[in-house]
């Protein structure tokens, strides 16, 4: 074995959310990586969240696609790429350029994105390239363009440090952007920054908040219209800054039409919020998917921007609206024109002067003069046969698109589908005619842009496995084989960045915001050493904020306040579908778990898909904690574990988005989400669906642990990785009698030694398999949800454990219990023991004693809940400590 301790650390960037944290990577000599936060990176200064801390657990090769595949068989690169080029060329020749499409991802590096966009728009001649970023922040893009003239993010992370009030709108910053949330809490502790959370749910972000406004889903426009009216009534309009804006009166006239009661908030709450916002000079409004993922998402963005523009609270330290993105290079994709309605460098596809300049710069044969198909429309076109050839790159639309079952069926029926990915085991990859093995994070080399416009390098720390290739190289080779040899004759990513930077310099004549022309002469060695820096990067502009000088990017150089009014969600609740469904992310998972699902640590916090239901609703439905429920919408049905909680209001439910056909087939939540979109941005409404809920009457429930992945076939199952193998929850609609045979099939061990306890009368079974004295697997069955110590059992496969049938450790064998602090692997029992034995009275005291909550801090609200529960038992109701 090799020891990587002597190898130098490599500076790179985390591949998860849009915070863009710097990481230091050191190969361990055995194909793995040691990962720590980069103390010199301006996005995180060394801090990482639970996901970033666990990156080293996600780089194994067991799951990797390492050779091209055609129709399920390994193939050579030469024949595969020629097939891709020929099939796309044939479709274009027979049906025109709009018969083909690319669906790409915020996982792509900027250099990859640039080549994909150039190939589709400049040389194929279609705008049918869109990205999964359409699902998360395209409403922000549209709102920015309407208000500012370009998709400009005005502020920087330093504004969070310097604000006196930070308003989180539709953003569970504590779980989805934990490093930024800890930065916000540090500002609160240092300078008394006030925090307001605007969210229908009570989330972990509320733990540090001074105010939580649990407004009705979709009513954000009405709330910020009320604020705009209050700004005017209280004389808080900045008339000096107002000379740089237009549309205030029309925006006020529209705002007055909205009844604030739409929000569901009482007048005292509304008045208190308005007083705080108006009376605080330095205000940052951070917003995310709860704003964007709506059929009125663009209007919501503009309602927020209106308030900042009316008061002039934009472009100066500690002030401004701030859209935080969900992917590591969603911003880079926006900048490079990787969406169906955009050109590179924030230029407009439908502007003839912009098109002509880009076409001439590329020396391209053609350029589309109209927007292409946005994501939802693209897959509709796949389904109805208009798209004949589809290339999907680093994303999983068979799971993540609204009406996911219809999208899955459309991809399966497409005449020719190519998927570039790092693995063949995703719902989408299984539908491909051609699979192309791409390099993964840790092997990639290029740049990404984070939420505050900082460009950072991702660097390769590991060799590409097998025959995997960089995405830019795959795309460029297909371009060459389609006849565009000179345009795609690249040999390294530095060449691509130089060309892109030069294009941004050429675009300067249009007076737009995006400019990285200072990188256009970067030598290869300088590219290797490139430090994080915020654009614009040019001889006369460098980093910093936009709009302090009142110069915007419309033709008259003024900002626009937009007249917007509240519009209800597309779907209305009804007696058939009485619940409003909200969807979102969890603390320790990301997207469809292709990466995070490889980490046992990250899978241990919430190991199963669930739906949050208010206690009053659960009582009416006769649903008890841990019951399974069927959740149905007009487009599909899912089976989820019921979690009874008052963090959601009555009539509202919440379910996470992460589970797939690979991990929990019945819990693919986007099969429930309607394909209703914002008319301006094309972004789907993922936060306000309608559903019905009924108890799922299972014939049996099960829990299993195993050394290896299990062959699960029951009506409901959910499987995650553990340090010793796998664990799974199961349930079936039909009874099974031969449990011993079923266990051997489940664990693929027909000759293992079995120990059983089966009570047919009670409907219980416990079966344990050993091979050569080592535990292979164990299955526990009951007519009601199984009551065993799951985390204890998950640690046993592969050991000589003998006392397994009891389902719990002996009384004198302590176990840390379910993991709560994923960063440091600290369980609930360990925390409770520390509280009890050391009489700890605060979250900080627990951190000082055992470390829990001291890394990313996203578990601190749950630690506070444990403290509150423990000391309330002794002293009666007490405040959280």
């Amino acid at each position: 074995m090799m020891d990587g301790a002597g190898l130098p650390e490599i500076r790179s960037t985390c591949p998860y959310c849009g915070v863009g944290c710097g990481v230091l990577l050191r190969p361990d000599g055995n194909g793995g990586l040691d990962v720590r936060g980069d103390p010199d990176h301006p996005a995180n200064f060394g801090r990482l969240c639970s996901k970033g801390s666990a990156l080293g657990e996600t780089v194994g090769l067991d799951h990797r696609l390492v050779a091209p595949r055609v129709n399920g068989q390994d193939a050579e690169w030469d024949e595969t790429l020629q097939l891709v080029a020929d099939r796309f060329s044939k479709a274009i020749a027979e049906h025109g350029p709009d018969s083909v499409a690319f669906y790409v991802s915020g996982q792509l590096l900027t250099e990859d994105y640039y080549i994909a966009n150039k190939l589709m728009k400049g040389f194929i001649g279609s705008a049918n390239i869109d990205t999964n970023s359409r699902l998360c922040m395209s409403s922000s893009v549209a709102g920015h363009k309407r208000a500012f003239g370009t998709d400009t993010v005005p502020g920087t992370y330093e504004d969070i440090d310097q604000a006196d009030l930070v308003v989180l709108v539709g953003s569970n910053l504590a779980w989805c952007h934990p490093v930024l949330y800890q930065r916000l809490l540090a500002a609160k502790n240092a300078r008394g920054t006030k925090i307001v959370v605007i969210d229908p749910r009570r989330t972990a972000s509320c733990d540090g908040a001074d105010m939580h406004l649990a407004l009705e889903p979709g009513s954000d426009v009405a709330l910020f219209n009320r604020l705009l009216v209050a700004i005017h009534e209280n004389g808080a309009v900045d008339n000096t800054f107002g000379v740089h804006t237009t549309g205030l009166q029309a925006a006020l006239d529209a705002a007055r039409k909205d009844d604030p009661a739409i929000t569901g908030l009482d007048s005292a709450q509304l008045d208190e919020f308005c007083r705080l916002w108006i009376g605080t000079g330095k205000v940052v409004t951070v917003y995310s998917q709860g704003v964007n993922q709506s059929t009125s998402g663009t209007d919501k963005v503009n309602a927020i921007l209106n308030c900042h523009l009316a008061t002039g609270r934009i472009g100066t330290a500690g002030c401004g609206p701030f859209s935080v993105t969900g992917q590591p290079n969603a911003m880079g994709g926006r900048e490079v024109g990787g969406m169906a309605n955009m050109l590179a460098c924030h230029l407009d596809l439908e502007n003839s002067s912009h098109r002509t300049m880009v076409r001439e710069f590329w020396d391209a044969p053609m350029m589309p003069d109209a927007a292409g198909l946005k994501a939802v429309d693209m897959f509709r076109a796949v389904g109805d046969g208009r798209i004949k050839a589809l290339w999907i790159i680093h994303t999983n639309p068979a799971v993540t698109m609204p009406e996911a079952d219809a999208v899955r069926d459309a991809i399966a029926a497409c005449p020719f589908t190519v998927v570039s990915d790092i693995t063949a085991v995703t719902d989408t990859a299984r539908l491909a005619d051609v699979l192309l093995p791409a390099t993964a994070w840790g092997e990639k080399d290029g740049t990404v842009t984070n939420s505050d416009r900082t460009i950072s390098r991702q660097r390769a720390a590991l060799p590409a496995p097998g025959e995997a290739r960089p995405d830019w190289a795959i795309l460029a080779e297909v371009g060459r084989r389609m006849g565009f040899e000179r345009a795609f004759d690249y040999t390294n990513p530095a060449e691509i960045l130089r060309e892109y930077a030069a294009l941004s310099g050429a675009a300067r004549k249009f007076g737009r915001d995006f400019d990285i022309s200072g990188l256009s002469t970067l030598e290869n060695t300088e590219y290797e050493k490139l430090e994080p820096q915020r654009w614009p990067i040019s001889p006369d502009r460098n980093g910093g904020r936009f709009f302090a000088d009142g110069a915007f990017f419309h033709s008259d150089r003024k900002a626009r306040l937009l007249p917007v009014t509240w519009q209800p969600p597309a779907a209305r609740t009804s007696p058939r579908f009485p619940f409003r469904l909200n969807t979102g992310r969890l603390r320790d998972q990301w997207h469809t778990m292709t990466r995070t699902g490889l980490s046992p640590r990250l899978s241990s916090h919430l190991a199963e898909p669930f739906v949050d239901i208010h206690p009053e609703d659960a009582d009416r439905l006769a649903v008890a904690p841990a019951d399974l429920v069927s959740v149905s919408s007009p487009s599909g049905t899912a089976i989820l574990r019921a979690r009874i909680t008052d963090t959601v209001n009555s009539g509202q439910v919440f379910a996470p988005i992460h589970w797939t056909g690979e991990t929990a087939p019945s819990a693919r939540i986007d099969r429930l989400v309607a394909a209703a979109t914002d008319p301006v941005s094309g972004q789907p409404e993922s936060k306000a669906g309608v559903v019905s809920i009924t108890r799922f009457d299972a014939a049996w429930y099960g829990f299993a642990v195993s050394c290896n992945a299990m062959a699960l076939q029951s009506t409901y199952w959910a499987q995650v990785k553990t340090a010793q193998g796998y664990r799974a929850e199961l349930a079936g609609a039909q009874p099974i009698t031969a449990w011993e045979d079923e266990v051997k099939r489940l664990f693929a061990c027909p000759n293992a030694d079995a120990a059983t306890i089966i009570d047919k009368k009670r409907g219980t079974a416990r079966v344990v398999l050993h091979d050569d004295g080592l535990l292979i697997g164990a299955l526990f069955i009951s007519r009601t949800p199984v009551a065993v110590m799951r985390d204890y059992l998950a640690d046993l496969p592969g050991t000589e454990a003998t006392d397994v049938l009891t389902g719990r450790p002996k009384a004198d064998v302590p176990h840390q219990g379910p993991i709560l602090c994923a960063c440091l692997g600290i369980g609930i029992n360990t925390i409770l023991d520390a509280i009890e034995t050391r009489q700890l009275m605060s979250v900080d005291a627990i951190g000082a004693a055992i470390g829990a909550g001291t890394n990313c801090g996203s578990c601190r609200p749950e630690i506070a809940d444990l403290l509150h529960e423990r000391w309330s038992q002794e002293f009666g109701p007490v405040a959280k400590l």
Side-chain angles (χ1 to χ4, degrees):
M1 294 180 64
M2 295 180 62
D3 183 358
L7 297 174
E9 289 184 313
I10 297 167
R11 295 187 74 186
S12 191
T13 311
C14 179
Y16 289 120
C17 75
V19 175
C21 295
V23 291
L24 297 177
L25 312 177
R26 177 179 280 127
D28 65 7
N30 298 295
L33 285 175
D34 294 326
V35 181
R36 70 184 181 98
D38 182 349
D40 298 320
H41 197 286
N44 61 313
F45 299 108
R47 190 183 287 276
L48 292 178
C49 72
S50 60
K51 295 182 287 291
S53 299
L55 275 168
E57 299 177 19
T58 69
V59 295
L61 301 183
D62 291 346
H63 64 296
R64 291 297 296 276
L65 175 67
V66 295
R69 291 185 191 174
V70 177
N71 297 323
Q73 302 297 315
D74 285 357
E76 298 296 324
W77 268 111
D78 182 67
E79 64 181 272
T80 305
L81 291 176
Q82 194 60 52
L83 173 65
V84 173
D86 289 347
R87 289 295 296 269
F88 271 77
S89 296
K90 183 174 185 289
I92 294 164
E94 294 179 356
H95 304 284
D98 288 337
S99 68
V100 303
F102 293 172
Y103 186 64
V104 298
S105 164
Q107 288 292 286
L108 289 175
L109 304 185
T110 296
E111 294 79 359
D112 306 324
Y113 251 130
Y114 181 82
I115 298 303
N117 188 51
K118 180 178 177 180
L119 176 58
M120 178 57 76
K121 289 184 179 142
F123 291 83
I124 290 175
S126 172
N128 284 348
I129 175 171
D130 212 41
T131 168
N132 61 5
S133 299
R134 179 71 60 189
L135 310 182
C136 65
M137 55 75 211
S138 55
S139 292
S140 280
V141 175
H144 287 162
K145 290 185 71 174
R146 293 203 303 187
F148 307 146
T150 56
D151 174 26
T152 308
V153 174
T156 70
Y157 291 161
E158 288 80 7
D159 290 323
I160 294 174
D161 305 332
Q162 298 167 353
D164 294 320
L165 170 64
V166 174
V167 183
L168 304 179
V169 190
S171 168
N172 185 8
L173 204 70
W175 275 22
C176 299
H177 302 89
V179 170
L180 277 189
Y181 185 69
Q182 291 306 307
R183 192 166 183 161
L184 172 57
L185 291 185
K188 181 179 179 67
N189 291 333
R191 59 196 314 275
T193 304
K194 297 290 186 181
I195 301 173
V196 175
V197 173
I198 300 173
D199 196 309
R201 290 195 301 144
R202 189 176 77 249
T203 67
S205 299
C206 297
D207 186 65
D210 299 279
M211 182 188 302
H212 173 214
L213 300 180
L215 78 176
E216 285 294 310
S219 63
D220 308 72
V221 168
L223 175 61
F224 281 91
N225 273 349
R226 173 69 184 91
L227 175 59
L228 183 65
V229 171
I231 287 169
H232 183 260
E233 291 174 345
N234 286 273
V237 172
D238 185 335
N239 293 315
T240 301
F241 190 82
V243 301
H244 304 297
T245 70
T246 63
L248 174 61
Q249 189 57 53
L252 281 167
D253 291 343
R256 292 188 179 103
K257 295 177 183 178
D258 275 348
D259 181 355
I262 291 166
T263 64
L265 304 171
D266 62 43
S267 58
Q269 290 176 298
L270 290 167
D271 291 345
E272 183 182 1
F273 170 63
C274 291
R275 280 195 301 270
L276 181 61
W277 204 99
I278 293 168
T280 307
K282 292 184 175 182
V283 181
V284 171
T285 304
V286 175
Y287 65 93
S288 192
Q289 317 304 23
V291 168
N292 295 326
Q293 291 179 332
S294 167
T295 49
S296 57
T298 306
D299 285 352
K300 292 179 182 179
V301 171
N302 285 114
I304 293 169
L305 302 186
N306 284 349
C307 295
H308 281 273
L309 290 169
T311 55
R313 294 175 184 177
I314 187 168
T316 58
C319 291
F322 204 139
S323 163
V324 288
T325 55
Q327 293 194 83
N329 204 29
M331 285 283 284
R334 289 152 68 168
E335 295 153 8
V336 85
M339 302 177 81
N341 56 321
M342 302 169 66
L343 279 178
C345 306
H346 286 183
L347 299 180
D348 295 327
L349 182 63
E350 297 178 350
N351 182 304
S352 61
S353 298
H354 294 185
R355 287 198 310 273
T356 299
M357 189 279 290
V358 175
R359 182 178 60 78
E360 291 176 350
F361 182 91
W362 283 342
D363 193 19
M366 61 192 80
M367 187 76 72
D369 58 6
L373 296 170
K374 298 170 185 174
V376 169
D377 291 332
M378 179 184 289
F379 285 100
R380 284 177 176 152
V382 174
D384 65 27
R386 282 176 286 158
I387 300 297
K388 310 296 183 182
L390 173 67
W391 193 344
I392 300 168
I393 306 178
H394 292 300
T395 187
N396 198 4
V399 176
T400 59
M401 287 294 296
E403 298 181 12
D405 287 349
V407 171
R408 177 197 59 200
D409 295 344
I411 297 170
C414 185
F416 187 65
T417 299
V418 180
V419 172
S420 297
D421 212 327
I422 67 171
T423 177
V425 288
T426 72
D427 294 41
T428 301
R430 293 190 185 278
L431 304 173
D433 300 292
V434 173
L435 284 172
L436 301 177
T439 49
W441 175 86
E443 305 148 11
K444 286 175 172 283
D445 194 25
T447 57
V448 294
T449 308
N450 75 354
S451 292
D452 82 338
R453 296 179 276 111
T454 297
I455 297 173
S456 300
R457 287 277 275 113
Q458 274 196 15
R459 294 180 172 90
L462 297 171
E467 300 177 44
R469 294 183 180 181
D471 292 289
W472 66 263
I474 298 170
L475 287 155
E477 177 63 20
V478 170
R480 291 192 292 269
R481 288 172 184 254
M482 292 179 73
F484 312 121
E485 292 87 352
R486 189 167 61 87
F488 294 94
D489 187 23
Y490 303 102
T491 60
N492 60 65
E495 286 182 81
I496 301 169
L497 184 67
R498 284 194 291 269
E499 179 180 309
Y500 175 37
L503 176 59
S504 79
R508 290 182 65 177
K509 66 181 182 181
F510 297 115
R512 292 304 179 99
D513 59 337
F514 183 77
D515 187 355
I516 58 169
S517 58
L519 303 178
S520 62
T521 59
L522 210 62
E523 298 289 342
N524 289 359
T525 53
E526 294 173 310
Y527 180 82
E528 289 304 317
K529 298 176 182 178
L530 186 65
E531 294 286 323
Q533 49 191 300
R534 184 182 295 126
W535 66 261
I537 305 166
S538 68
D540 57 348
R541 293 191 296 173
N542 191 32
R545 299 174 180 86
F546 280 94
F547 308 142
D549 59 357
F552 293 87
F553 297 101
H554 287 293
S555 59
D556 61 1
R557 312 303 287 175
K558 293 185 177 184
R560 307 279 192 268
L561 281 78
L562 274 292
V564 294
T565 54
W566 170 79
Q567 300 295 323
R572 306 293 182 93
T573 56
S574 66
R576 184 180 177 190
F577 299 109
F579 293 98
R580 184 68 70 187
L581 172 66
N582 188 358
T583 68
R585 294 178 176 177
L586 297 181
R587 189 189 79 186
D588 296 338
Q589 297 295 354
W590 197 74
H591 283 200
T592 59
M593 298 166 61
T594 309
R595 180 182 292 113
T596 51
L598 301 173
S599 166
R601 259 198 294 164
L602 297 180
S603 296
S604 61
H605 177 231
L606 293 170
E608 185 183 14
F610 61 86
V611 58
D612 284 341
I613 306 173
H614 190 274
E616 293 176 3
D617 295 327
D619 287 344
R620 284 194 295 271
L621 296 167
V623 170
D627 277 352
L628 289 172
V629 293
S630 292
V631 184
S632 297
S633 79
S635 61
T637 297
I639 302 174
L640 305 167
R641 188 74 66 180
R643 205 170 71 158
I644 314 303
T645 172
D646 63 2
T647 59
V648 292
N649 288 332
S650 181
Q652 301 173 24
V653 296
F654 169 84
I657 62 173
H658 306 291
W659 278 268
T660 72
E662 302 295 321
T663 52
S666 75
R668 294 167 57 250
I669 204 65
D670 276 302
R671 75 202 315 176
L672 306 181
V673 175
T677 60
D678 181 292
V680 181
S681 69
Q683 182 157 355
E685 186 157 68
S686 300
K687 300 289 190 181
V690 293
V691 295
S692 64
I693 296 177
T694 57
R695 187 177 179 277
F696 176 71
D697 291 319
W700 56 269
Y701 296 83
F703 175 75
V705 294
S706 174
C707 287
N708 301 303
M710 292 168 265
L712 302 166
Q713 297 178 354
S714 54
T715 309
Y716 170 84
W717 62 264
Q719 181 170 226
V720 296
K721 195 164 177 37
T722 67
Q724 296 298 115
Y726 292 83
R727 61 186 277 184
E729 301 285 346
L730 309 90
Q734 301 299 323
I736 296 176
T737 54
W739 281 112
E740 189 172 326
D741 293 340
E742 177 65 14
V743 167
K744 291 184 176 182
R745 182 203 63 78
L746 188 71
F747 300 134
C749 294
N751 300 317
D753 298 323
T756 65
I757 301 176
I758 297 175
D759 187 332
K760 294 183 179 180
K761 185 176 180 181
R762 294 183 177 179
T764 62
R766 298 189 173 199
V767 184
V768 174
L769 296 187
H770 284 85
D771 190 16
D772 289 335
L774 298 180
L775 179 66
I776 300 301
L779 176 66
F780 301 82
I781 299 296
S782 174
R783 286 180 181 155
T784 57
V786 176
V788 293
M789 290 192 64
R790 284 160 167 76
D791 295 271
Y792 161 72
L793 291 169
D795 288 341
L796 300 183
T799 73
E800 296 180 349
T802 56
D803 194 20
V804 181
L805 286 169
T806 62
R808 60 188 66 249
K810 295 178 180 178
D812 59 347
V813 179
H815 189 271
Q816 68 173 350
I819 296 296
L820 193 150
C821 177
C823 292
L824 302 179
I826 301 173
I828 287 176
N829 291 346
T830 302
I831 297 170
L832 289 173
D833 180 71
I835 293 171
E836 188 70 29
T837 59
R838 306 188 195 189
Q839 295 292 288
L840 302 176
M841 300 291 290
S842 71
V843 175
D844 287 339
I846 291 173
I850 61 175
T854 59
N855 186 44
C856 80
S858 58
C859 63
R860 289 173 64 91
E862 292 164 281
I863 297 173
D865 288 340
L866 291 180
L867 276 166
H868 181 261
E869 182 177 350
R870 168 62 187 89
W871 296 120
S872 292
Q873 292 172 359
E874 184 160 337
F875 301 116
V878 296
K880 286 190 179 181
L881 305 172

